[in-house]
């Protein structure tokens, strides 16, 4: 789980359920509810569950909606990336890429030159336990538009130095990325 502090000062834990072959969702609850007391009354489902695959990657916390409440970026094992408003619990945007699976969260990046934030992720192509390649994608954090994508015939999902150099500084164009931004929460 990831523990973070909401704008009202309360600490909340966010945790996923399910896995490679079992459906699941992502939930959040006040840390106090995890010790003593029925969790079901205070737990909130963050996203709708996947029928056959769950959420194994930790949530990414980043302020995207301008309300000073950390928003939730959820990378599911079934190829969905979902941005949820941390204050209201409503989905801001969702992107589904079928045939892709992810064990890890999206990384937040500064697009530079006032262009806002991006979300970078790498995923396996195929279905557990057989992957046939990987995809690396940079999305606009405000709406999920693809800004950069690279497919590789190899798995595990890693990005080569030449592709990172291409992503960070393309000849003849503005610099796409400056630096990653730190996570807001902590792994519990």
């Amino acid at each position: 789980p990831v523990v973070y502090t909401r704008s009202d000062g309360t600490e909340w834990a966010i945790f996923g359920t399910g896995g490679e072959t079992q459906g699941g969702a992502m939930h959040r609850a006040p840390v106090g509810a995890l010790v003593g007391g029925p969790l079901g009354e205070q737990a909130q489902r963050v996203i709708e569950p996947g029928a056959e695959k769950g959420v194994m990657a930790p949530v990414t916390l980043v302020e995207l909606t301008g309300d000073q409440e950390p928003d939730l970026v959820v990378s599911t094992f079934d190829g969905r990336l979902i941005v949820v408003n941390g204050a209201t619990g409503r989905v801001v945007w969702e992107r589904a890429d079928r045939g892709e699976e992810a064990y890890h969260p999206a990384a937040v990046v500064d697009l530079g030159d006032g262009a806002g934030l991006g979300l970078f992720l790498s995923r396996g192509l195929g279905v557990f336990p057989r992957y046939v390649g990987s995809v690396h994608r940079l999305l606009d954090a405000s709406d999920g538009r693809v800004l950069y994508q690279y497919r590789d015939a190899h798995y595990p999902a890693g990005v080569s130095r030449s592709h990172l150099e291409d992503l960070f500084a393309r000849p003849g164009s503005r610099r796409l990325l400056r630096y990653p931004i730190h996570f807001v929460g902590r792994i519990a």
Side-chain angles (χ1 to χ4, degrees):
V2 172
V3 175
Y4 73 108
T5 304
R6 297 193 60 180
S7 62
D8 65 3
T10 59
E11 283 195 321
W12 284 64
I14 305 176
F15 50 94
T17 60
E20 290 101 333
T21 59
Q22 180 155 351
M26 183 155 277
H27 305 271
R28 68 179 175 180
V31 170
L34 300 176
V35 288
L39 177 61
E41 295 174 11
Q42 296 184 45
Q44 300 172 359
R45 182 182 292 156
V46 174
I47 63 163
E48 289 301 312
E52 297 176 5
K53 300 170 193 273
V55 180
M56 298 177 355
V59 70
T60 300
L61 299 167
V62 60
E63 169 51 53
L64 296 172
T65 56
D67 59 9
Q68 304 309 306
E69 180 81 22
D71 298 308
L72 317 172
V73 180
V74 182
S75 180
T76 67
F77 199 72
D78 64 4
R80 293 178 292 155
L81 189 68
I82 306 166
V83 174
V84 176
N85 182 304
T88 67
R90 292 191 181 107
V91 172
V92 176
W93 60 262
E94 178 175 348
R95 175 184 175 85
D97 293 293
R98 300 294 172 215
E100 298 178 10
E101 297 183 342
Y103 286 95
H104 39 269
V108 179
V109 295
D110 181 343
L111 297 175
D113 299 326
L117 299 176
L119 299 169
F120 184 79
L121 61 144
S122 294
R123 292 181 168 157
L125 296 172
V127 177
F128 172 82
R130 186 161 190 252
Y131 296 110
V132 296
S134 58
V135 63
H136 315 283
R137 194 176 286 124
L138 175 65
L139 306 173
D140 185 316
S142 68
D143 59 13
R145 281 180 301 121
V146 175
L147 301 175
Y148 175 86
Q149 178 172 290
Y150 171 72
R151 290 182 179 267
D152 191 330
H154 299 93
Y155 187 85
V159 181
S160 71
R161 180 179 173 162
S162 64
H163 290 103
L164 280 176
E165 288 169 351
D166 180 47
L167 182 62
F168 278 89
R170 293 184 187 181
S173 67
R174 72 175 175 84
R175 188 175 169 147
L176 266 181
L177 302 175
R178 287 216 174 136
Y179 49 86
I181 294 177
H182 68 281
F183 285 97
V184 177
R186 66 181 191 273
I187 303 295

